[in-house]
Amino acid sequence: MDVQRKLEILADAAKYDASCASSGTEQRDSSDGRGLGSTAPGMGICHSYAPDGRCISLLKVLLTNACNYDCLYCVNRASSNVPRARFTIDEVVKLTLDFYRRNYIEGLFLSSGIIRSADYTMEQVVSVARKLREEHHFRGYIHLKTIPEADDTLIAEAGKYADRLSINIEVPEETSLAKLAPEKNVRAIRRTMGRLRLKLDEAAEKPATKTRPPRFAPAGQSTQMIVGADGASDQTILTTSANLYGAYRLKRVYYSAFSPIPDASRALPLIAPPLVREHRLYQADWLMRFYGFDVGEIADGHENGMLPLDIDPKLAWALRNRQRFPLDVASASREELLRVPGFGRKAVDRIIATRRITSIRVADLARLHIPRNKALPFIVLSDHRPSARLLDTAGLVERFKPKATQLGFGF
């Protein structure tokens, strides 16, 4: 099998991992001599984002999609009827360097099915990173998937070469994992996460002597949860995320809406959950990490522990806590301002900087990049005070819901 065919199979097999999301698009090419450029050669290239918001292109592939495990939700499971392929170490290294030299990518995201044993697979993954760093002096970004239960020395070596390590928690509840992926052990996954955290903490400690601690994955560790493959509620998912952030200091928890796969098990749902559910979970996750909310504030009070799909979680919280509004923008604390619907972190920083020198008026909201219709019912400005009747009315929520539109007829 040539490398091109392997790339088609192993890049496609890697697309279900959401830790570095990419957007699908229609296929176009200029092989007929008309136009310029093509989307087809982009297979295997996805986009991730740096903490400063910069977009990074990554070669995202599996070392192999052969796997000993038979996880029901996974297209690469042992019983799946899909074409199999396996890169050699040198092939992944060459692909990475060739793509990098052509300016297609800035880094590599490498995962793998588990073959032979956890140690053997991890050793293969680490060998790619080692060869890139030590033999080719590759300075680009490297994200490696960690294999649960791999030997500690392999984990340490992976952290030496990779910028980020990740290990998927898969589903939020241990009982669901036992049902959907009986070969996987949630305690082993968490044990590996704990070992990663210890090494990350050691690397971050200030040395008592001039000897610096060994380098270990400076971009930290992350994980991914599948949403909708089991019956877990949003509250359960967010509670698991909060525990993971607290116990293992993860950089990110990624949420991946379950996608029906070929020849799926009867234990799986027939249809995918709405993508907006995944979006609401990401919004709730940001509220926990950057806006000072805890899980109970976001998820309590909703039917069956599910976040509403028609309004975002912060607006839903504000509507359940109307007694805390309207908030005087001129005197409110930063923590209070962060809880106003429509106020993002940058907008709050701009408000605090602006109010030191002048009072803020309704006309200033656009300049501060704040959606006025969303924020005005909840704030007091120098020329605006919402009526108590507006804030108390039962129909306030309708103001924020998307307007109903007639379906198209295709002509």
Side-chain angles (χ1 to χ4, degrees), residues 196-406:
L196 291 178
R197 180 191 169 166
L198 287 175
K199 293 184 183 302
L200 288 166
D201 289 346
E202 289 170 8
E205 282 181 2
K206 289 186 177 179
T209 64
K210 290 184 179 178
T211 306
R212 298 179 63 181
R215 178 191 190 278
F216 192 85
Q221 65 166 321
S222 59
T223 192
Q224 172 179 321
M225 260 191 286
I226 301 169
V227 175
D230 63 356
S233 67
D234 293 341
Q235 186 170 29
T236 301
I237 292 170
L238 293 172
T239 300
T240 301
S241 297
N243 290 336
L244 293 172
Y245 283 127
Y248 307 108
R249 292 209 302 183
L250 298 185
K251 285 285 186 181
R252 285 291 301 273
V253 175
Y254 291 88
Y255 305 96
S256 174
F258 165 71
S259 175
I261 54 178
D263 303 321
S265 163
R266 291 182 180 178
L268 295 172
L270 295 176
I271 58 173
L275 278 178
V276 69
R277 183 182 175 197
E278 180 185 289
H279 181 58
R280 297 297 180 220
L281 285 168
Y282 275 116
Q283 290 177 320
D285 188 278
W286 276 68
L287 292 182
M288 291 194 297
R289 290 192 293 142
F290 302 117
Y291 288 77
F293 286 81
D294 62 40
V295 176
E297 290 177 301
I298 298 168
D300 284 352
H302 296 301
E303 188 176 354
N304 300 323
M306 303 296 283
L307 299 175
L309 299 180
D310 51 356
I311 56 174
D312 66 75
K314 191 205 270 192
L315 178 58
W317 173 84
L319 291 170
R320 295 197 311 274
N321 293 274
R322 303 182 194 201
Q323 74 282 1
R324 300 178 65 149
F325 300 100
L327 200 65
D328 191 341
V329 170
S331 58
S333 67
R334 187 173 192 278
E335 290 70 27
E336 291 173 318
L337 291 174
L338 284 172
R339 290 178 173 247
V340 176
F343 281 21
R345 295 171 70 201
K346 289 183 178 177
V348 168
D349 291 339
R350 292 190 197 107
I351 287 170
I352 292 173
T354 302
R355 75 185 185 184
R356 291 194 185 111
I357 53 177
T358 186
S359 59
I360 298 174
R361 305 169 68 85
V362 172
D364 295 322
L365 295 181
R367 184 175 55 80
L368 295 168
H369 304 293
I370 294 171
R372 51 183 290 169
N373 289 340
K374 195 169 189 179
L376 283 177
F378 301 98
I379 56 175
V380 173
L381 301 171
S382 60
D383 61 344
H384 165 77
R385 176 177 287 275
S387 69
R389 194 178 63 172
L390 172 65
L391 199 55
D392 292 338
T393 180
L396 179 59
V397 64
E398 301 300 328
R399 178 185 178 124
F400 305 107
K401 290 183 176 179
K403 304 298 181 192
T405 55
Q406 183 173 326

Side-chain angles (χ1 to χ4, degrees), residues 61-259:
V61 291
L62 299 185
L63 194 60
T64 177
N65 64 339
C67 191
N68 295 339
Y69 290 1
D70 201 37
C71 308
L72 299 186
Y73 48 76
C74 182
V75 72
N76 302 313
R77 67 192 185 279
S79 62
S80 179
N81 183 25
V82 295
R84 305 286 179 174
R86 178 182 176 182
F87 278 130
T88 65
I89 293 168
D90 286 338
E91 284 172 340
V92 180
V93 170
K94 186 174 186 303
L95 271 177
T96 305
L97 296 175
D98 286 349
F99 276 39
Y100 190 80
R101 287 177 180 132
R102 288 177 171 84
N103 207 26
Y104 291 166
I105 60 164
E106 295 176 76
L108 170 69
F109 175 95
L110 184 62
S111 183
S112 179
I114 298 175
I115 48 174
R116 297 195 193 178
S117 68
D119 282 350
Y120 175 79
T121 308
M122 192 73 214
E123 190 177 341
Q124 296 285 298
V125 170
V126 170
S127 294
V128 172
R130 184 197 305 118
K131 202 156 192 172
L132 282 169
R133 294 291 196 217
E134 294 190 342
E135 295 184 19
H136 299 279
H137 306 287
F138 181 69
R139 303 293 178 89
Y141 182 87
I142 296 180
H143 180 160
L144 298 182
K145 277 287 175 188
T146 307
I147 309 299
E149 298 187 273
D151 188 84
D152 206 39
T153 55
L154 290 169
I155 299 289
E157 199 170 6
K160 177 181 174 185
Y161 301 118
D163 293 281
R164 172 168 289 186
L165 297 174
S166 58
I167 177 169
N168 289 348
I169 194 75
E170 309 293 7
V171 288
E173 294 182 297
E174 187 171 350
T175 51
S176 297
L177 191 68
K179 178 182 173 186
L180 300 176
E183 290 118 332
K184 289 196 172 178
N185 183 337
V186 71
R187 293 179 187 175
I189 293 171
R190 287 178 174 269
R191 194 161 51 242
T192 305
M193 284 182 172
R195 288 152 61 195
L196 291 178
R197 180 191 169 166
L198 287 175
K199 293 184 183 302
L200 288 166
D201 289 346
E202 289 170 8
E205 282 181 2
K206 289 186 177 179
T209 64
K210 290 184 179 178
T211 306
R212 298 179 63 181
R215 178 191 190 278
F216 192 85
Q221 65 166 321
S222 59
T223 192
Q224 172 179 321
M225 260 191 286
I226 301 169
V227 175
D230 63 356
S233 67
D234 293 341
Q235 186 170 29
T236 301
I237 292 170
L238 293 172
T239 300
T240 301
S241 297
N243 290 336
L244 293 172
Y245 283 127
Y248 307 108
R249 292 209 302 183
L250 298 185
K251 285 285 186 181
R252 285 291 301 273
V253 175
Y254 291 88
Y255 305 96
S256 174
F258 165 71
S259 175

